[in-house]
């Protein structure tokens, strides 16, 4: 049975989507105005010297660049399109090498979170006089990427994308983040899961973001057709990475032997505005060492999400998820092993616990280059039976920030984060953080 709070959020999301669809403003939003300014900032380098002033040429260039910014899986913190685009004479192929230099600084007080990302799960429950205040900086999020977008008579539309970030050991190691190919309706490679909706995640300075952010990346094969420009459907098979709480004494984790299956149905009424219902089904396998038998448990999750511009100056974000055994796909519970956990009533037996969460964000643009946003998010863990008192029960996340795009390619931001962790004992503790960021895209 679905929890009442989740049902209320689900109902609100449906009403919200219908209302904004019926009363969508005819004027372009200020957020889209910023995208337009980014598109005008590109330097087009022609390989064959075409007539750059023909209408067909200009339209083709604009169409190719728009694909960078109106991607179904683009997140606010993703890098902008490359400043330099190399274009073929017929405007059927665009190639760019770009990146983002991003620096963050943050200050915690009243109890420091031992991580660069502000995750309520990590809030220390007991005061430590050596970790009351903390200041740090990180270049994590600095990245380089390579992208090709083109059209071909035989293949149709296609693109190739590779991105690597400096976010490994000590936030300085170079690590692969994405690597995929898109050919018409098919995506093959290491990409955002079909179960995720990055565009519906509110903007934050903090890299972690809302504590219910569902944002897994996996090697996958996805089919995603667009029907009459309004409907988008997707189905994918994805490489699983379950997190199972097996102790190797009473129970043991088995090898993965089936992919995760994810799908969504989306209605979009304008570029960058949609409502989406997505789901995932997983096979979670373990061995009961007491009975010496293997078991295959079903994990699943559902999610409703949306991003919209009800007014030219306003952008709204909403997300709510619920399920069993889907915890490793994002949010606070990604930090632990919660897809399968021990059944306290039967040694050696594991089960898939319930959890749910939501996040809501509101962005207000003073101009297309200056905007502020507020975010509220919560994750709730709902195991059955008695559990140890120090187990995480609920996490809350709140943020308010201000961003200024000084130029189309340079952005600064400041943010206040507030989080709370509550255990099953009833004990809770709050954490606070001030963060700032500066980034330059090229």
């Amino acid at each position: 049975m679905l929890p009442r709070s989740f049902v209320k959020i689900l109902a609100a999301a449906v009403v919200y989507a219908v209302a904004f669809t019926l009363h969508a403003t005819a004027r372009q939003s200020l957020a889209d105005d910023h995208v337009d300014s980014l598109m005008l900032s590109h330097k087009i380098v022609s390989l064959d010297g075409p007539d750059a002033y023909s209408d067909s040429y200009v339209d083709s260039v604009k169409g190719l660049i728009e694909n960078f910014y109106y991607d179904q899986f683009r997140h606010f913190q993703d890098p902008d399109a490359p400043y330099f685009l190399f274009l073929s004479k017929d405007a059927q192929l665009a190639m760019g090498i770009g990146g983002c230099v991003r620096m963050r600084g943050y200050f915690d007080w009243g109890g420091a979170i031992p991580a660069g990302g502000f995750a309520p799960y990590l809030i220390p429950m007991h005061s430590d006089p050596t970790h009351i205040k903390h200041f740090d900086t990180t270049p994590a999020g600095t990245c380089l990427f390579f992208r090709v977008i083109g059209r071909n008579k035989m293949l149709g539309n296609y693109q190739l994308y590779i991105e690597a970030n400096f976010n490994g050991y000590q936030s300085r190691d170079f690590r692969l983040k994405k690597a995929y190919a898109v050919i018409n309706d098919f995506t093959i490679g290491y990409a955002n899961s079909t179960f995720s909706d990055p565009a519906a995640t509110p903007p934050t300075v903090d890299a972690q973001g809302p504590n219910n952010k569902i944002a897994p990346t996996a090697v996958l094969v996805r089919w995603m057709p667009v029907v009459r420009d309004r409907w988008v459907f997707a189905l994918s098979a994805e490489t699983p990475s379950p997190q199972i709480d097996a102790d190797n004494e009473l129970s043991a984790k088995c090898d993965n032997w089936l992919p995760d299956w994810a799908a969504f149905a989306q209605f979009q009424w304008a570029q960058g505005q949609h409502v989406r219902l997505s789901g995932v089904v997983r096979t979670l396998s373990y061995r009961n060492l007491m009975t010496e038998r293997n078991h295959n448990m079903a994990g699943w999750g559902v999610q409703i999400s949306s991003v919209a511009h009800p007014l030219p100056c306003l952008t709204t974000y909403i997300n709510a998820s619920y399920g069993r055994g889907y915890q490793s796909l994002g949010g606070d519970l990604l930090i632990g092993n919660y897809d399968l956990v021990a059944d306290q009533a039967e040694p050696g037996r594991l089960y898939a616990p319930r959890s749910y969460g939501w996040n809501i964000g509101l962005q207000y643009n003073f101009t297309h280059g200056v905007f502020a946003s507020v975010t509220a998010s919560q994750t709730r863990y709902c195991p059955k039976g008695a559990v140890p008192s120090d187990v995480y029960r609920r996490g809350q996340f709140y943020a308010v920030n201000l961003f200024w795009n000084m130029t189309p390619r340079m952005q600064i931001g400041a943010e206040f984060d507030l989080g709370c962790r509550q255990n099953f004992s009833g004990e809770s503790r709050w954490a606070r953080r001030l963060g700032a960021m500066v980034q330059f895209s090229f």
Side-chain angles (χ1 to χ4, degrees), residues 37-99:
S37 72
L38 284 169
M39 292 175 62
L40 293 173
S41 73
H42 296 288
K43 175 65 176 177
I44 307 298
V45 180
S46 174
L47 300 179
D48 299 301
D51 180 6
Y53 298 97
S54 68
D55 292 338
S56 61
Y57 177 82
V58 173
D59 290 342
S60 296
V61 172
K62 183 178 180 180
L64 289 172
I65 296 176
E66 277 184 340
N67 288 330
F68 286 97
Y69 296 109
Y70 290 107
D71 186 294
Q72 290 289 342
F73 294 96
R74 176 174 172 77
H75 184 263
F76 169 78
Q77 295 180 355
D78 285 346
D80 296 326
Y83 178 76
F84 289 101
L85 291 174
F86 298 91
L87 203 70
S88 62
K89 183 176 181 179
D90 57 4
Q92 297 301 299
L93 179 68
M95 178 184 70
I97 300 174

Side-chain angles (χ1 to χ4, degrees), residues 78-394:
D78 285 346
D80 296 326
Y83 178 76
F84 289 101
L85 291 174
F86 298 91
L87 203 70
S88 62
K89 183 176 181 179
D90 57 4
Q92 297 301 299
L93 179 68
M95 178 184 70
I97 300 174
C100 174
V101 177
R102 179 182 289 138
M103 298 292 163
R104 293 186 178 95
Y106 57 92
F107 173 70
D108 293 357
W109 73 96
I113 292 180
F118 190 82
Y121 185 97
L122 297 176
I123 295 175
M125 299 304 293
H126 303 287
S127 179
D128 183 341
T130 64
H131 298 287
I132 297 297
K133 299 178 182 179
H134 182 73
F135 169 77
D136 208 345
T137 59
T138 174
T142 298
C143 67
L144 292 172
F145 68 93
F146 175 87
R147 191 163 196 169
V148 172
I149 296 179
R151 304 186 183 97
N152 182 274
K153 290 182 179 179
M154 182 177 68
L155 296 177
N157 295 321
Y158 66 91
Q159 64 172 291
L160 306 174
Y161 186 77
I162 298 175
E163 181 185 344
N165 281 28
F166 292 91
N167 60 356
Y169 177 69
Q170 294 185 343
S171 300
R172 290 167 176 80
D173 281 0
F174 201 45
R175 300 180 62 184
L176 182 68
K177 183 178 181 181
K178 297 177 185 177
Y180 60 85
V182 179
I183 303 175
N184 290 324
D185 297 334
F186 289 91
T187 300
I188 303 172
Y190 187 52
N192 291 101
S193 169
T194 302
F195 188 58
S196 68
D197 190 358
T201 302
T204 57
V205 167
D206 183 74
Q208 187 75 15
N211 70 325
N212 190 55
K213 182 174 70 176
I214 307 297
T217 305
V219 176
L220 54 79
V221 177
R222 175 168 52 228
W223 178 55
M224 191 174 72
V226 179
V227 180
R228 296 182 180 179
D229 295 328
R230 293 286 188 176
W231 292 93
V232 183
F233 300 93
L235 175 66
S236 66
E238 308 182 359
T239 303
S241 299
Q243 296 178 183
I244 296 175
D245 188 26
D247 59 11
N248 294 320
E249 294 181 359
L250 302 176
S251 59
K253 178 181 177 181
C254 293
D255 288 342
N256 302 320
W257 61 284
L258 282 176
D260 290 348
W261 296 93
F264 73 69
Q266 171 178 299
F267 177 74
Q268 55 189 22
W269 53 93
Q271 281 187 320
Q273 301 186 69
H274 67 253
V275 59
R276 176 185 296 182
L277 179 64
S278 53
V280 63
V281 178
R282 327 176 70 194
T283 299
L284 307 170
S285 302
Y286 78 97
R287 183 172 181 80
N288 188 325
L289 299 180
M290 303 294 291
T291 61
E292 297 185 345
R293 294 183 59 185
N294 289 358
H295 299 271
N296 299 310
M297 308 296 292
W300 57 271
V302 293
Q303 178 177 231
I304 186 168
S305 55
S306 183
V307 56
H309 304 303
L311 297 171
C313 60
L314 200 64
T315 303
T316 55
Y317 306 86
I318 189 167
N319 171 289
S321 60
Y322 175 82
R324 293 178 179 270
Y326 80 110
Q327 287 81 355
S328 63
L329 298 180
D332 260 0
L333 298 176
L334 170 65
I335 301 173
N337 297 316
Y338 291 99
D339 288 338
L340 290 181
V341 299
D343 188 336
Q344 301 297 323
E346 185 178 338
R349 183 177 181 271
L350 304 183
Y351 74 98
R354 295 185 303 122
S355 70
Y356 67 92
W358 54 266
N359 68 70
I360 297 174
L362 189 67
Q363 173 182 320
Y364 184 86
N365 280 71
F366 302 97
T367 69
H368 76 79
V370 180
F371 65 91
S373 76
V374 293
T375 301
S377 179
Q378 184 180 124
T379 294
R380 179 72 180 268
Y381 177 51
C382 307
K384 67 178 185 180
V387 296
S389 62
D390 62 349
V391 170
Y392 171 101
R393 181 184 184 186
R394 182 177 64 184

Side-chain angles (χ1 to χ4, degrees), residues 23-43:
H23 301 286
T25 178
R27 186 194 182 285
Q28 177 170 285
S29 70
L30 291 175
D32 289 328
D33 286 346
H34 176 60
V35 173
D36 288 345
S37 72
L38 284 169
M39 292 175 62
L40 293 173
S41 73
H42 296 288
K43 175 65 176 177

